[in-house]
Amino acid sequence: MPDVTKTDVKTDAADPVGAAPVAKAAESKPEKSRSLWGDAWADLRRSWIFIVSSVLIFFLLLITFFPGWFTSAQPVLGDLSNHYLQKPKLGEVGSPDWLGYDQQGRSVYARVIYGTRASVAVGFGTTILVTLVGSLVGMIAGYFGGIVDSILSRLTDVFFGIPFLLGTMVVLNSFPERTTWVVIGALGFFGWTQISRVMRGAVITTKQSDYVQAAKALGASTPRIMFRHILPNTMAPVIVVATISLGVYIAAEATLSFLGLGLSGVSWGNDISDGGNSIRVAQWIMLYPSIMLSITVLAFIMLGEAVRNALDPKMR
Amino acid sequence: MAELSKNDEPQDATPNVSDVEVVDAHSETEAVAAIEAPVERGEPILQVRNLVKHFPLTQGILFKKQIGAVKAVDGVSFDLYQGETLGIVGESGCGKSTVAKLLMNLERATAGEIFYKGQDITKLSGRAMKAVRRNIQMVFQDPYTSLNPRMTVGDIIGEPFDIHPEVAPKGDRRKRVQELLDVVGLNPEYINRYPHQFSGGQRQRIGIARGLALNPEIIICDEPVSALDVSVQAQVINLMERLQDEFNLSYIFIAHDLSIVRHISDRVGVMYLGKIAEIGTDEQIYDHPTHPYTQALLSAVPVPDPEAREGRERIILSGDVPSPANPPSGCRFRTRCWKAEDKCANEVPLLAIPERFKTSDTPAAHESACHFAEEKDVVHAA
């Protein structure tokens, strides 16, 4: 479809000055205008990776916001009479017994459902924080250049040089109560460098383009050039990196929880860690949170992949 | 030129050290008034004096040390008269586009002055600079990169009105944008389309419409047609000529296609390695060139007539253009010139009417920066 409209427009150019395009458009019906985002969206809708990943993410978000719709059991309610050797009753889909019980007699199914909220919250929260901070730093460094760029780029290098997990572990270790916000803050504190670098590179390229020069020639103010011209044209690579890193942050949160330095509440990482102790007698305690974690990370990375394919004009 | 030194206005731009504040505020209002005053047809509207732009070459990563400079523009002077088209030709890398950027104040000049209606725009800022920007606009070379791909045509052409809200009241803007589209020969219905839905020629029309939006007096065209097909080039050139008559515009037309420059220009300046080699009316430059570089350039223009082509002498220059970071002493062209003598290496030839033609009124009597300027008949088509 897009090809048809494009060739239509191009043939106009060969006609003598002005007259023909006017006549031509008069007979063609008013068409819907399509931006690059519109083209990307049209591409996305045809991509099976995007469809599969967005269906998965839709369910994850549903579980996050309405865990009560999926289970009546409470994740923190332990009944020692349901001790962990009680095997999963795989036939009873959706019942608290479905995926068995853990060492303290808590329903594994309920914990998997309620653990989703922690993972998704940390994933989205960290990604938003990292995108904001990274974009801002990268934008300022790339746009102003010179000494500002030197200082900010070296700062980015310093943070980039700190091992990500080690850094977050050191920070989290100093918090007795690790709420969602604390974990988001710690992951974001060390995670913004990648987006900052991507943004800086994109801004430097865009800054030199003719349309930015044209805006300057019109007398446009710095905020106008930054937000009207540069930002919209640098968002594509940032969105791609952000979408892929969403999955990475979810995995990082689970890793931290596994190491005992993650969220204090219900979290897949905590359950995987606990389940590891009894893997030989009660594999299900570790198995089901791991499956959910894998599916979630996979869904977000697939989404990132699909978005990248759609936004990268060279892939078309 | 000499008569400019009589002009006392440029001195206003240099504030007194004693009361800088007062003079600044005073001169800004005065500058805006001067910029908004109309200029008679045929009067100089833009005067460029000894314009210099050196791009520093630096070494070192942390502590940058300047080790030289690329002398992109090195002492360029010319006048632009109201209502005329001044063509600037020269090969790639001779500094044409840098001159355009300097005139637009997109690059800061290293030295020299650009007087717009007597105001030195290299020293203006704030309100006065904004007034200048409204009156000097630019059309870019590549229509594929000069339009923001994330904005609709309506937003692109309407942006000048957002930046200079005094030009068009808010409710009026959509109508103004549609009028502009109509003026450049595009369907006003296209207002909600994006640039990638247009062909190269149509995009260049959008770029021209954006340049026209603020009703400028001068449009600087930096190779506006060199990225277009030949058939489309003619349309765009004709459009620009029509607009010049309609809106009383002055053009600075930068190009490397000599035929197009002759077609559109009233006067032509030939640039070589950051300097102007020769400047005059199109007849003087094309039919009576006196600078060897101009002669060589013209002899390279393809001639469509095979009979005329057989007999003509082609001047083939040896070697490459020297690096602008390390230009030759004296005359810039001497390393490739068949007339070069010791004098050329020692003395920089001034851009002036050659002595021997001064008294006569032949067309050869125009400014040429050569010690041995003389006419040479070059057969060419342009």
Side-chain angles (χ1 to χ4, degrees):
Chain A
M1 269 232 291
D3 306 321
V4 177
T5 25
K6 271 179 200 161
T7 39
D8 236 357
V9 174
K10 286 208 169 122
T11 45
D12 289 352
D15 294 324
V17 184
V22 178
K24 183 136 196 170
E27 64 202 45
S28 74
K29 55 187 180 305
E31 58 170 294
K32 237 175 78 185
S33 65
R34 288 248 304 264
S35 65
L36 291 188
W37 296 114
D39 280 349
W41 175 238
D43 260 22
L44 276 180
R45 275 184 311 188
R46 285 198 301 269
S47 142
W48 67 268
I49 298 183
F50 175 74
I51 293 167
V52 170
S53 59
S54 41
V55 166
L56 283 174
I57 289 167
F58 173 74
F59 274 105
L60 285 169
L61 290 177
L62 217 56
I63 294 171
T64 304
F65 287 108
F66 309 105
W69 291 7
F70 295 86
T71 178
S72 53
Q74 287 302 312
V76 287
L77 194 73
D79 183 352
L80 283 177
S81 62
N82 295 325
H83 70 83
Y84 67 91
L85 284 177
Q86 186 177 326
K87 290 203 163 52
K89 293 174 178 151
L90 291 175
E92 298 174 25
V93 177
S95 83
D97 304 339
W98 185 26
L99 304 178
Y101 289 88
D102 70 1
Q103 299 95 319
Q104 296 178 53
R106 299 174 298 195
S107 163
V108 171
Y109 176 57
R111 288 191 71 80
V112 164
I113 291 293
Y114 280 88
T116 312
R117 175 175 283 178
S119 290
V120 170
V122 168
F124 273 96
T126 312
T127 304
I128 290 168
L129 179 69
V130 154
T131 309
L132 289 179
V133 175
S135 301
L136 191 71
V137 173
M139 179 83 137
I140 292 171
Y143 187 80
F144 292 104
I147 187 83
V148 177
D149 183 25
S150 295
I151 292 170
L152 287 177
S153 292
R154 293 300 84 76
L155 186 75
T156 312
D157 289 348
V158 167
F159 274 88
F160 197 75
I162 301 169
F164 179 62
L165 270 180
L166 186 64
T168 43
M169 276 160 66
V170 170
V171 170
L172 288 173
N173 200 26
S174 57
F175 285 91
E177 172 79 14
R178 293 182 291 275
T179 62
T180 313
W181 294 112
V182 171
V183 174
I184 289 173
L187 288 170
F189 189 69
F190 293 100
W192 56 273
T193 51
Q194 197 189 3
I195 290 209
S196 163
R197 285 181 165 187
V198 168
M199 189 69 173
R200 175 178 170 271
V203 168
I204 288 175
T205 318
T206 313
K207 188 175 73 168
Q208 288 154 352
S209 64
D210 280 351
Y211 54 84
V212 172
Q213 298 290 317
K216 279 188 189 161
L218 286 168
S221 59
T222 302
R224 168 174 278 273
I225 290 173
M226 275 178 143
F227 295 108
R228 283 282 284 157
H229 293 278
I230 293 181
L231 192 64
N233 286 290
T234 49
M235 279 321 284
V238 169
I239 285 173
V240 170
V241 173
T243 322
I244 291 177
S245 58
L246 221 158
V248 175
Y249 291 126
I250 290 175
E253 185 275 321
T255 311
L256 288 168
S257 297
F258 179 81
L259 294 170
L261 286 161
L263 286 169
S264 307
V266 185
S267 155
W268 293 336
N270 289 337
D271 291 358
I272 294 169
S273 174
D274 293 347
N277 300 329
S278 47
I279 191 160
R280 288 170 63 188
V281 281
Q283 305 82 8
W284 57 88
I285 302 175
M286 188 178 171
L287 182 66
Y288 295 108
S290 305
I291 290 176
M292 272 304 272
L293 178 65
S294 306
I295 290 175
T296 309
V297 173
L298 186 70
F300 281 109
I301 288 178
M302 272 162 61
L303 180 73
E305 187 88 350
V307 169
R308 182 176 63 197
N309 288 351
L311 285 179
D312 187 351
K314 289 182 208 88
M315 305 287 283
R316 293 220 181 116
Chain B
M1 264 194 225
E3 57 261 33
L4 192 89
S5 49
K6 285 183 270 171
N7 198 339
D8 57 353
E9 271 163 347
Q11 279 149 19
D12 284 358
T14 19
N16 279 328
V17 188
S18 51
D19 47 0
V20 177
E21 298 295 329
V22 180
V23 172
D24 259 358
H26 178 65
S27 69
E28 183 166 86
T29 319
E30 227 172 47
V32 172
I35 286 158
E36 278 164 3
V39 169
E40 287 290 306
R41 196 177 177 82
E43 291 289 306
I45 188 166
L46 196 70
Q47 294 167 303
V48 177
R49 292 293 170 269
N50 288 321
L51 196 60
V52 177
K53 177 67 190 180
H54 291 180
F55 292 101
L57 290 170
T58 53
Q59 204 173 41
I61 298 160
L62 212 53
F63 301 99
K64 291 196 169 72
K65 195 176 71 180
Q66 190 173 338
I67 54 160
V70 173
K71 299 180 173 93
V73 176
D74 207 9
V76 163
S77 305
F78 59 81
D79 285 350
L80 175 72
Y81 298 98
Q82 213 284 322
E84 77 161 351
T85 302
L86 173 67
I88 294 179
V89 288
E91 57 198 291
S92 307
C94 73
K96 305 180 301 262
S97 293
T98 311
V99 168
K101 290 217 168 103
L102 290 170
L103 294 179
M104 293 304 302
N105 229 350
L106 290 174
E107 298 273 4
R108 283 264 158 212
T110 313
E113 294 99 34
I114 303 165
F115 296 105
Y116 171 69
K117 295 180 180 171
Q119 302 295 320
D120 184 357
I121 63 172
T122 59
K123 295 195 178 68
L124 292 181
S125 61
R127 212 152 53 87
M129 192 62 227
K130 222 171 167 186
V132 171
R133 294 223 181 274
R134 210 169 60 215
N135 285 323
I136 308 181
Q137 272 304 307
M138 185 161 181
V139 173
F140 288 83
Q141 172 177 10
D142 186 352
Y144 291 90
T145 59
S146 63
L147 306 176
N148 187 340
R150 307 275 188 216
M151 282 164 81
T152 63
V153 170
D155 287 339
I156 290 170
I157 302 176
E159 187 170 35
F161 302 133
D162 291 340
I163 299 168
H164 301 270
E166 70 279 7
V167 178
K170 202 142 190 129
D172 208 24
R173 283 183 198 165
R174 197 185 153 84
K175 218 180 98 224
R176 288 287 290 272
V177 170
Q178 288 184 323
E179 279 169 14
L180 282 164
L181 280 171
D182 195 37
V183 162
V184 297
L186 288 173
N187 186 345
E189 308 270 308
Y190 290 172
I191 190 161
N192 286 326
R193 285 199 185 183
Y194 284 87
H196 70 276
Q197 295 170 298
F198 291 92
S199 69
Q202 289 174 317
R203 282 160 167 249
Q204 198 58 298
R205 286 164 194 267
I206 296 167
I208 293 171
R210 172 177 59 192
L212 282 177
L214 298 173
N215 254 328
E217 293 179 318
I218 302 174
I219 293 189
I220 293 161
C221 314
D222 184 8
E223 309 210 16
V225 296
S226 59
L228 305 176
D229 284 350
V230 179
S231 61
V232 183
Q233 283 187 358
Q235 296 169 20
V236 172
I237 290 289
N238 291 339
L239 169 69
M240 293 182 71
E241 286 192 317
R242 201 190 81 217
L243 295 174
Q244 182 167 36
D245 296 339
E246 228 168 278
F247 297 97
N248 199 16
L249 299 166
S250 314
Y251 285 146
I252 288 185
F253 194 94
I254 293 167
H256 53 237
D257 185 327
L258 292 162
S259 318
I260 284 182
V261 169
R262 174 159 208 187
H263 178 76
I264 196 167
S265 303
D266 301 308
R267 289 191 310 128
V268 179
V270 180
M271 273 187 82
Y272 183 78
L273 214 59
K275 278 184 183 295
I276 290 190
E278 189 171 6
I279 189 165
T281 65
D282 60 341
E283 193 210 341
Q284 285 168 343
I285 296 294
Y286 283 84
D287 297 332
H288 306 278
T290 62
H291 195 286
Y293 178 63
T294 315
Q295 290 158 0
L297 208 59
L298 286 170
S299 86
V301 175
V303 177
D305 177 1
E307 274 171 35
R309 190 165 57 203
E310 299 229 326
R312 78 162 171 169
E313 181 198 351
R314 284 199 57 205
I315 304 166
I316 294 169
L317 296 178
S318 57
D320 274 330
V321 185
S323 159
N326 184 22
S329 66
C331 173
R332 294 269 162 118
F333 186 57
R334 70 175 166 86
T335 51
R336 304 170 76 194
C337 184
W338 62 93
K339 288 180 181 170
E341 287 178 20
D342 287 350
K343 189 185 181 190
C344 303
N346 300 327
E347 259 179 67
V348 180
L350 295 173
L351 182 65
I353 300 170
E355 271 316 319
R356 76 189 77 170
F357 299 125
K358 247 181 189 159
T359 47
S360 65
D361 57 348
T362 60
H366 58 267
E367 289 172 77
S368 175
C370 180
H371 293 305
F372 306 105
E374 60 181 350
E375 264 195 72
K376 184 182 175 82
D377 190 34
V378 189
V379 177
H380 61 87

